[in-house]
Amino acid sequence: MAEITWKEIVLVVGVVVACYWNSLFCGFVFDDVSAILDNKDLRPSTPLMNLFRNDFWGTPMTEERSHKSYRPLTVLTFRINYVFSELSAKSYHLLNLVLHAVVCLIFLQVCRLFLDQKSSLVAALLFAVHPIHTEAVTGVVGRAELLSSIFLLAAFLSYTKSKGLDNSIVWTPIALTVILVAVATLCKEQGITVIGICCVYEVFVVQGFTLPHLWDTVLRILRGKDGLPYSLLQTLLKLIVLMFSTLLLVIVRVQVIQSQLPVFTRFDNPAAVSQTPARQLTFNYLLPVNAWLLLNPSELCCDWTMGTIPLVESLLDMRNLVTIAFYSVLGLMVHHGVRYSVDSSKTVIMALSLIVLPFIPASNLFFPVGFVIAERVLYVPSMGFCILVAHGWRKTTKSRNLKKLSWIGMAILLATHAVKTVNRNWDWESEYTLFMSALKVNKNNAKLWNNVGHALENQNNYERALKYFLQATRVQPDDIGAHMNVGRTYKNLNQTKEAEDAYMIAKSLMPQIIPGKKYATRVAPNHLNVYINLANLIRANESRLEEADQLYRQAISMRPDFKQAYISRGELLLKMKKPLEARDAYLRALELDRTNADLWYNLAIVNIEMKEPSEALKNFNQALELNTKHKLALFNSALLMQESGDARLRPEAKQRFLIYVEQDPDDANGYFNLGMLAMDDNKNEEAERWMKKAIKMQLGFRSALFNLALLYSQTGRELDALPVLNELLVHYPEHVKGLILKGDILMNHKKDTKGAKECFERILQMDPNNVQGKHNLCVVYFEERDLLKAERCLVETLALAPHEEYIHRHLSIVRGKTAALSAAGQQVSPADGASSPAVEEKKTPLEKGKNDKNTQKAQSEQRTIKKTARGKPP
C-alpha cells in the first residue's frame, strides 16, 4: 500500500478548504439550536459526568422524552469549543472543516488498499467535494458523523494489520480495533458497523474466499470429507472475537437506553406507524431515493419528514419498479463481488460493505428511526459510492477511446460538485435561508413551513410568520404543532380570541387517553405543551383561573413527569393566593429535576409570599449555586438581604447587585438598589453616584429621583434637591411625598411660602384627608400670620388624626398666640401673626421610596416546536 505524499495532503486539504471556507460564516441552525444553544451539558458549570448520563441533546437518558442518541464524546468536543469561544459559531464550523479534512485523508489511505494511486486520489477528492456532505460538515451537529468516521476508518485500518507475514494472527491491531470501535460508537451509534466491514474484509479480501469456494468448503466439512483448514480456523477465531466485542457493545448500548426505544410520531416518520404493506413498501422505496441523492445531489433538503415522500401504499404503485431496479443492480454488484476472486471483485465488495453496512441503522428496515431521509447519515455510505465511481473511472481510463473523455468527465464532475457544495453552504447561513431553500425542493412538508415561520418569528416579524404557520396547517391539517404555532403567533399579535381558537383545535387533535396504555408513547411529549400554552393564555382572565388550573392538572395526569406543567401550575397557584399548593407543585417538580435553578428561584418566591424570608434566601442561594448568573435570583436575593435590615448582609447584597448590573447594564433597578444600600451605609457620595446612574439609564425613574432628592435634603443640600424634585413632579405630578418634600424645602430654606402653599394645596386636591399635607398647609398659614385660618386648619387636621401629639401642641401654640394678641388689644389678622420661629415645626416624616421593581417569576409561555429537529421531539 503506497503512502500518502505531502502533495496529496496539500491537494486534498486545499480542496476541502476551497469547498467549505464559507461555512465559517454560517450560524447555528436547525438541530444546532437544540444540541448547542439549548444544551446545558456544554456549560463548564455542568458536571462532566452528565455527558455520560444524558443524550446528544442534553436530556437524561432515563427520561421517556430522551432521543436515546448516546454520543458523549461528540458532546465533549462541543464543550471544548465552548471553553474556548463559548457560543461563537465560527469556531464550531472551523473544527468541523478540520475534521472533514482529516476524514478525507484517512479515507485516501483506505482507498489505497483497493485502488491504485490515481483512482484512490480521485475517490478521496470526490468524497471531499460531494454536496451530500454539506449537512454533515456545515451543520454543526454533523460532527457526530465526522468523529465517528475518523474512528471507524482508523479501526478498519488497524484491523488490516492483524495478519502477520507468516499468516499468523497479530492481536494488538485487533485489540486496538475493538477500542477504536467503542470510541467511534461513543461518537455516533453507526460506528459499531465497522465490525461488519472488518468481517467482509477478512473473508473476501484477506482469505480470498469467493461464495462458491466458501460454500464448497462448508459442504465438504459437513460431509466429513475434510477438516477445517488452518486459514479458516484463523478466520473463525478473529470473527468470533469481533462478534463477541460487537455483542458486548450492543449489550452496553441497550443498558444505556434502559431497553427503551425513543418515542417518535407519524409526523417524524409516517411510514413507521403505517400498516402492512405500506410500511415495508415505503421503507424499501427509500433505499433507491437515498442512492439517487448520491448519484444526483442537485436537490438537497434539510428535512425529509412528514409529507415529503408520499407513502407507497399499494403493490401497483409505479415507484415499486424503482425499488425492484435498485435491488436488481445491487444484486448484480454483490454477485460480482462474491463470485470472483479478482481484485475488481474485492474492490466492489468492499465498496458495497461501506455503502450498505453503515446505512443499516438508518434504513428503518430493522427498527424505526426519527426521520424518513437524512442526508448526513449518507456521509459514510458515500465513501463506498466514491470508491465505486473511482473504480469505474479507472476501468474507463484504460480504454484508449475513452481515456480522454473519462478525464474530462471526472474533472467536470469534481468541479460541478465543488460549486454545488459552496453554494449549498450558503443555505446554512441562517435558519431562514436554510428552510427557504428546502421549500424550493419540497412544499409538502409542514415542518418546513413551520420552521420558516419560526425564523421570521425570531425576527419579530409575526405577520409574515403567521402566513407560514397557517400554510403548515393547510399542508398538514392534523399537525398539532402547526396549530400551536398559529396560536402562539396570534397571542404575540394580541389577538387572544384567535389564539385560543387555534389552541383548541390543537387540543382536539390530541389522542384520547386509553386506560392501561402510556399516553407518552403515542404522542410527541412536546405536543402536551398545548395545555400549558392554552392555560397561560386564559389565565390572564381572572374569572378563568380555575379553568387554567384544570388544564395544568390534565397535562400532569397525562404525563406525571411533565416538569413544565408543575412549574406553570405553581405560578398560577401563587396568583390564586394558594402558596401552600404552589409550594407542593414546585417541590414535585424539584423531585424530577433538582438541577433546575428556575425551580429553586420560584420556590423562593413562594417563601416570600408565605412570609418565610430565611427559607426564601436559602432557596435563592440554591438557585445561584446551580447558576451563578441567574439574574432574577441575584436581584431578588440581594433585595431580600437589603430589606432585612441586617447590616451583616449588606456586603453580599452589594456584591450580587454588582454582578447583576454587569449582566444587565441597561436595567436601572440594579443601580438604584446599589444607591439604596449606600444610603443605608451612610456612603452618601456613592449613593449619589448610583442614583444618578439609575436616572440616566431610565428617564423619569420615580424611586431614584425621590431618593436622590431625599439624600440631598438629609445632607444639607436642600437647594440641590429642588431641581431633582421638579423633574420628579414633571413625570409624576401627583407624587405626594415629592410634593411634601418640595414644600418643606421651599418654606424652610427658600422662604417661599407661596410655592410651598401650592405644593400642599395640590396634595389636598388629590387627597383631602392627607394629614401631612393638611398640617403643613396650616404651618404655611401660620407663616403668613393668618392665625385664625391656621387655627381652623389645625382643628380640621386634628379631626383627621386626633391622636397625633404634635398637632395638639401646634394648635395650643396658635391658640396661645391668638389669646396673647387679643389680651394686648391687637386685632388678630394675617398681618399681625407671630413670626415663624414661634412655631415648633413638625417635619413631615419622609421614608425612603421603595423599589418599583416587583419580584418576577422565572416563567413565560412555552414556545412550542421552536425547531423541528430531525427525529427528536422538538
Side-chain angles (χ1 to χ4, degrees):
M1 179 176 65
E3 293 295 326
I4 302 175
T5 66
W6 68 268
K7 290 182 180 180
E8 291 173 325
I9 294 174
V10 171
L11 176 60
V12 172
V13 172
V15 167
V16 170
V17 172
C19 288
Y20 288 98
W21 64 271
N22 57 337
S23 68
L24 301 181
F25 302 97
C26 298
F28 294 116
V29 298
F30 205 14
D31 290 349
D32 298 346
V33 176
S34 299
I36 308 296
L37 300 183
D38 298 340
N39 192 346
K40 293 181 180 179
D41 286 347
L42 271 65
R43 279 52 173 179
S45 58
T46 302
L48 200 60
M49 285 306 298
N50 278 25
L51 273 64
F52 296 90
R53 299 190 185 106
N54 299 341
D55 67 14
F56 187 52
W57 315 94
T59 305
M61 295 290 289
T62 55
E63 294 189 13
E64 277 186 298
R65 64 190 178 92
S66 169
H67 187 257
K68 309 301 181 185
S69 48
Y70 189 64
R71 304 162 191 173
L73 296 186
T74 302
V75 180
L76 180 61
T77 66
F78 293 151
R79 184 160 172 152
I80 293 170
N81 268 120
Y82 188 90
V83 168
F84 287 100
S85 63
E86 293 194 351
L87 295 176
S88 171
K90 184 170 290 188
S91 73
Y92 293 79
H93 287 295
L94 177 61
L95 184 52
N96 272 25
L97 187 154
V98 171
L99 291 173
H100 180 53
V102 172
V103 174
C104 292
L105 293 175
I106 301 176
F107 177 59
L108 175 58
Q109 188 68 40
V110 170
C111 290
R112 289 285 159 84
L113 295 169
F114 316 111
L115 301 169
D116 60 23
Q117 188 169 358
K118 286 182 181 179
S119 54
S120 61
L121 182 59
V122 165
L125 291 174
L126 180 58
F127 180 80
V129 304
H130 203 295
I132 201 71
H133 299 154
T134 50
E135 184 172 338
V137 181
T138 309
V140 177
V141 294
R143 186 176 300 175
E145 260 74 28
L146 305 176
L147 288 169
S148 180
S149 298
I150 288 174
F151 294 107
L152 180 149
L153 294 175
F156 177 69
L157 284 176
S158 175
Y159 185 81
T160 60
K161 300 175 182 178
S162 63
K163 182 180 180 180
L165 296 176
D166 56 352
N167 292 327
S168 60
I169 300 176
V170 182
W171 290 106
T172 300
I174 294 177
L176 181 59
T177 296
V178 173
I179 294 172
L180 291 171
V181 170
V183 174
T185 306
L186 291 175
C187 294
K188 190 175 181 183
E189 297 79 358
Q190 69 180 24
I192 198 171
T193 60
V194 71
I195 295 290
I197 297 171
C198 291
C199 291
V200 173
Y201 176 79
E202 178 67 30
V203 173
F204 294 103
V205 177
V206 176
Q207 302 302 329
F209 283 115
T210 61
L211 191 59
H213 182 202
L214 194 60
W215 180 249
D216 183 62
T217 302
V218 171
L219 287 178
R220 290 175 63 85
I221 294 171
L222 291 175
R223 292 169 182 169
K225 295 181 178 180
D226 205 350
L228 281 172
Y230 181 70
S231 61
L232 189 58
L233 282 172
Q234 286 186 315
T235 301
L236 287 174
L237 183 58
K238 292 167 77 173
L239 294 181
I240 288 171
V241 171
L242 292 176
M243 294 301 179
F244 180 78
S245 62
T246 303
L247 181 61
L248 186 62
L249 287 173
V250 169
I251 291 173
V252 171
R253 185 68 174 83
V254 170
Q255 288 297 315
V256 166
I257 66 172
Q258 299 189 349
S259 303
Q260 293 180 341
L261 288 175
V263 177
F264 298 125
T265 70
R266 58 192 174 87
F267 300 112
D268 300 313
N269 191 346
V273 295
S274 300
Q275 300 298 316
T276 302
R279 181 170 64 252
Q280 292 78 10
L281 293 176
T282 302
F283 284 155
N284 280 280
Y285 171 68
L286 293 178
L287 301 180
V289 174
N290 279 279
W292 180 249
L293 288 176
L294 290 175
L295 282 168
N296 180 29
S298 58
E299 293 187 340
L300 299 177
C301 181
C302 62
D303 193 310
W304 294 82
T305 56
M306 301 187 83
T308 304
I309 298 177
L311 295 175
V312 181
E313 298 180 292
S314 168
L315 291 171
L316 300 179
D317 193 313
M318 296 300 291
R319 289 174 293 174
N320 290 319
L321 296 177
V322 177
T323 306
I324 293 171
F326 168 78
Y327 276 113
S328 298
V329 173
L330 181 63
L332 289 173
M333 287 192 291
V334 171
H335 178 269
H336 175 76
V338 301
R339 181 78 178 179
Y340 309 104
S341 61
V342 296
D343 289 342
S344 175
S345 297
K346 294 177 180 179
T347 301
V348 169
I349 196 61
M350 289 309 304
L352 291 175
S353 68
L354 277 168
I355 293 174
V356 174
L357 296 177
F359 186 73
I360 285 177
S363 67
N364 282 294
L365 295 177
F366 298 98
F367 48 83
V369 294
F371 53 82
V372 179
I373 290 175
E375 292 167 10
R376 63 173 173 249
V377 303
L378 293 174
Y379 190 77
V380 176
S382 68
M383 295 178 185
F385 171 78
C386 291
I387 290 175
L388 283 178
V389 173
H391 180 57
W393 175 81
R394 181 179 63 175
K395 294 286 188 181
T396 58
T397 55
K398 292 180 178 180
S399 171
R400 181 177 301 178
N401 297 329
L402 298 176
K403 183 175 182 179
K404 184 179 292 186
L405 187 62
S406 62
W407 275 99
I408 295 173
M410 182 55 66
I412 293 174
L413 179 64
L414 293 174
T416 54
H417 274 22
V419 171
K420 171 67 176 177
T421 296
V422 173
N423 290 333
R424 176 63 175 160
N425 288 335
W426 289 122
D427 291 340
W428 292 79
E429 184 178 13
S430 68
E431 299 215 308
Y432 180 76
T433 57
L434 178 64
F435 298 126
M436 285 302 292
S437 70
L439 281 177
K440 293 176 183 177
V441 176
N442 171 36
K443 291 181 171 57
N444 296 321
N445 186 341
K447 280 188 179 180
L448 296 177
W449 294 99
N450 276 322
N451 283 335
V452 174
H454 286 307
L456 292 169
E457 186 182 32
N458 290 336
Q459 300 170 12
N460 296 325
N461 193 340
Y462 299 121
E463 289 83 2
R464 285 190 65 199
L466 180 60
K467 294 178 182 178
Y468 283 91
F469 289 141
L470 288 171
Q471 180 61 25
T473 63
R474 287 189 282 268
V475 171
Q476 188 87 34
D478 59 349
D479 182 6
I480 298 171
H483 291 287
M484 292 167 70
N485 292 335
V486 170
R488 189 184 61 255
T489 309
Y490 273 130
K491 182 178 182 295
N492 289 331
L493 291 169
N494 296 317
Q495 299 180 32
T496 53
K497 177 63 171 63
E498 292 81 357
E500 184 174 346
D501 290 343
Y503 285 141
M504 290 302 294
I505 294 173
K507 181 172 175 285
S508 69
L509 293 170
M510 297 287 285
Q512 298 301 309
I513 299 177
I514 299 175
K517 187 170 183 179
K518 283 188 177 180
Y519 184 85
T521 61
R522 298 180 295 106
V523 66
N526 202 54
H527 285 171
L528 288 173
N529 281 326
V530 66
Y531 297 96
I532 306 299
N533 288 0
L534 182 57
N536 289 348
L537 179 71
I538 67 175
R539 76 182 192 188
N541 185 338
E542 294 289 336
S543 66
R544 302 181 70 182
L545 298 183
E546 288 292 345
E547 186 181 346
D549 189 35
Q550 177 62 32
L551 287 167
Y552 291 136
R553 284 185 279 129
Q554 188 174 354
I556 291 170
S557 68
M558 291 177 174
R559 191 177 185 90
D561 64 346
F562 193 9
K563 178 178 61 182
Q564 189 57 52
Y566 292 106
I567 296 173
S568 298
R569 184 168 186 253
E571 184 185 8
L572 176 68
L573 290 168
L574 269 181
K575 187 176 181 179
M576 297 170 70
K577 307 300 182 185
K578 297 179 179 179
L580 285 174
E581 292 182 49
R583 182 179 64 183
D584 291 341
Y586 288 133
L587 289 173
R588 177 69 181 99
L590 281 168
E591 290 177 10
L592 300 171
D593 183 7
R594 299 190 67 81
T595 63
N596 188 316
D598 284 346
L599 282 174
W600 290 103
Y601 169 82
N602 284 355
L603 185 58
I605 297 299
V606 175
N607 295 136
I608 290 176
E609 293 289 330
M610 296 175 68
K611 312 298 183 186
E612 299 173 344
S614 59
E615 283 297 312
L617 187 57
K618 186 187 302 182
N619 289 322
F620 278 139
N621 291 338
Q622 183 66 40
L624 290 170
E625 281 186 25
L626 295 167
N627 180 4
T628 57
K629 295 183 178 180
H630 194 292
K631 290 199 302 182
L632 292 175
L634 282 167
F635 183 91
N636 287 301
S637 63
L639 191 62
L640 192 62
M641 293 176 181
Q642 176 187 349
E643 293 182 344
S644 71
D646 189 343
R648 295 171 298 177
L649 296 177
R650 288 177 193 160
E652 178 62 23
K654 180 179 180 180
Q655 185 62 32
R656 294 188 183 186
F657 278 132
L658 287 171
I659 297 173
Y660 176 81
V661 298
E662 182 182 345
Q663 289 190 69
D664 194 352
D666 296 328
D667 186 0
N669 288 284
Y671 304 109
F672 166 76
N673 282 284
L674 283 166
M676 296 295 288
L677 277 173
M679 288 179 69
D680 290 338
D681 285 333
N682 295 317
K683 297 178 180 178
N684 297 328
E685 291 183 2
E686 182 181 339
E688 179 184 359
R689 187 171 67 254
W690 288 123
M691 291 295 181
K692 285 183 174 180
K693 178 75 171 176
I695 295 166
K696 181 180 179 181
M697 297 302 301
Q698 182 179 319
L699 185 65
F701 191 164
R702 187 171 77 170
S703 298
L705 285 166
F706 176 75
N707 281 284
L708 179 59
L710 184 63
L711 175 66
Y712 285 149
S713 70
Q714 291 175 341
T715 55
R717 298 171 60 185
E718 287 84 0
L719 298 183
D720 289 334
L722 278 178
V724 179
L725 287 169
N726 288 334
E727 183 180 350
L728 170 67
L729 294 171
V730 166
H731 294 284
Y732 306 98
E734 299 181 354
H735 194 288
V736 174
K737 292 179 181 178
L739 287 167
I740 289 175
L741 182 57
K742 181 181 178 181
D744 181 69
I745 293 172
L746 289 174
M747 185 168 58
N748 292 309
H749 299 279
K750 294 277 287 186
K751 304 304 178 182
D752 181 1
T753 54
K754 182 180 179 181
K757 185 177 182 179
E758 290 176 355
C759 290
F760 301 138
E761 287 178 340
R762 195 189 307 175
I763 293 171
L764 294 175
Q765 288 174 0
M766 295 182 291
D767 180 11
N769 297 323
N770 187 288
V771 175
Q772 293 177 356
K774 186 80 171 177
H775 169 264
N776 285 8
L777 182 61
C778 300
V779 175
V780 172
Y781 292 149
F782 186 86
E783 291 286 341
E784 293 177 341
R785 303 185 180 187
D786 191 343
L787 296 181
L788 293 178
K789 201 169 187 179
E791 182 180 357
R792 285 196 303 270
C793 179
L794 285 168
V795 170
E796 293 172 359
T797 307
L798 189 61
L800 295 173
H803 301 296
E804 287 289 352
E805 184 274 336
Y806 72 92
I807 301 176
H808 283 281
R809 190 168 68 251
H810 287 185
L811 181 58
S812 298
I813 292 171
V814 171
R815 284 175 172 171
K817 191 66 178 175
T818 302
L821 290 174
S822 297
Q826 298 181 21
Q827 182 180 1
V828 180
S829 66
D832 296 325
S835 62
S836 166
V839 177
E840 179 186 356
E841 296 177 3
K842 170 66 180 181
K843 297 294 182 186
T844 305
L846 300 173
E847 64 181 63
K848 292 180 182 177
K850 297 297 180 185
N851 176 21
D852 292 332
K853 178 165 181 173
N854 295 321
T855 54
Q856 302 173 44
K857 308 293 186 298
Q859 171 62 40
S860 59
E861 184 188 32
Q862 273 297 101
R863 288 288 301 278
T864 306
I865 315 186
K866 184 174 184 296
K867 294 293 169 293
T868 48
R870 176 181 300 123
K872 177 179 178 288

PDB file of all heavy atoms in Angstrom, residues 332 527 576 645 708 772:
ATOM      1  N   LEU A 332     -26.683  -7.537  -8.682  1.00  0.00           N
ATOM      2  CA  LEU A 332     -25.648  -7.801  -9.696  1.00  0.00           C
ATOM      3  C   LEU A 332     -24.270  -7.442  -9.161  1.00  0.00           C
ATOM      4  O   LEU A 332     -23.293  -8.182  -9.392  1.00  0.00           O
ATOM      5  CB  LEU A 332     -25.960  -7.018 -10.966  1.00  0.00           C
ATOM      6  CG  LEU A 332     -27.163  -7.512 -11.794  1.00  0.00           C
ATOM      7  CD1 LEU A 332     -27.462  -6.534 -12.926  1.00  0.00           C
ATOM      8  CD2 LEU A 332     -26.876  -8.917 -12.351  1.00  0.00           C
ATOM      9  N   HIS A 527     -45.945  18.031  22.352  1.00  0.00           N
ATOM     10  CA  HIS A 527     -47.306  18.420  21.989  1.00  0.00           C
ATOM     11  C   HIS A 527     -48.169  18.654  23.224  1.00  0.00           C
ATOM     12  O   HIS A 527     -49.190  19.346  23.148  1.00  0.00           O
ATOM     13  CB  HIS A 527     -47.944  17.350  21.095  1.00  0.00           C
ATOM     14  CG  HIS A 527     -47.412  17.369  19.697  1.00  0.00           C
ATOM     15  ND1 HIS A 527     -47.711  16.390  18.768  1.00  0.00           N
ATOM     16  CD2 HIS A 527     -46.607  18.253  19.054  1.00  0.00           C
ATOM     17  CE1 HIS A 527     -47.103  16.674  17.623  1.00  0.00           C
ATOM     18  NE2 HIS A 527     -46.433  17.789  17.780  1.00  0.00           N
ATOM     19  N   MET A 576     -53.423  32.659  42.433  1.00  0.00           N
ATOM     20  CA  MET A 576     -54.713  32.344  43.056  1.00  0.00           C
ATOM     21  C   MET A 576     -54.637  32.419  44.588  1.00  0.00           C
ATOM     22  O   MET A 576     -55.577  31.998  45.276  1.00  0.00           O
ATOM     23  CB  MET A 576     -55.167  30.942  42.624  1.00  0.00           C
ATOM     24  CG  MET A 576     -55.424  30.814  41.136  1.00  0.00           C
ATOM     25  SD  MET A 576     -55.691  29.093  40.606  1.00  0.00           S
ATOM     26  CE  MET A 576     -57.306  28.753  41.346  1.00  0.00           C
ATOM     27  N   GLY A 645     -32.661  44.539  56.734  1.00  0.00           N
ATOM     28  CA  GLY A 645     -32.125  45.485  57.699  1.00  0.00           C
ATOM     29  C   GLY A 645     -30.897  44.986  58.423  1.00  0.00           C
ATOM     30  O   GLY A 645     -30.350  45.683  59.290  1.00  0.00           O
ATOM     31  N   LEU A 708     -32.919  60.422  45.584  1.00  0.00           N
ATOM     32  CA  LEU A 708     -31.791  61.328  45.395  1.00  0.00           C
ATOM     33  C   LEU A 708     -32.105  62.679  46.026  1.00  0.00           C
ATOM     34  O   LEU A 708     -31.251  63.280  46.706  1.00  0.00           O
ATOM     35  CB  LEU A 708     -31.493  61.491  43.903  1.00  0.00           C
ATOM     36  CG  LEU A 708     -30.335  62.442  43.556  1.00  0.00           C
ATOM     37  CD1 LEU A 708     -29.025  61.966  44.200  1.00  0.00           C
ATOM     38  CD2 LEU A 708     -30.166  62.549  42.036  1.00  0.00           C
ATOM     39  N   GLN A 772     -50.439  64.845  56.573  1.00  0.00           N
ATOM     40  CA  GLN A 772     -49.164  65.568  56.435  1.00  0.00           C
ATOM     41  C   GLN A 772     -49.343  66.823  55.587  1.00  0.00           C
ATOM     42  O   GLN A 772     -48.855  67.907  55.931  1.00  0.00           O
ATOM     43  CB  GLN A 772     -48.117  64.654  55.807  1.00  0.00           C
ATOM     44  CG  GLN A 772     -47.716  63.485  56.693  1.00  0.00           C
ATOM     45  CD  GLN A 772     -46.724  62.559  55.986  1.00  0.00           C
ATOM     46  OE1 GLN A 772     -46.409  62.757  54.828  1.00  0.00           O
ATOM     47  NE2 GLN A 772     -46.258  61.556  56.722  1.00  0.00           N
TER      48      GLN A 772
END
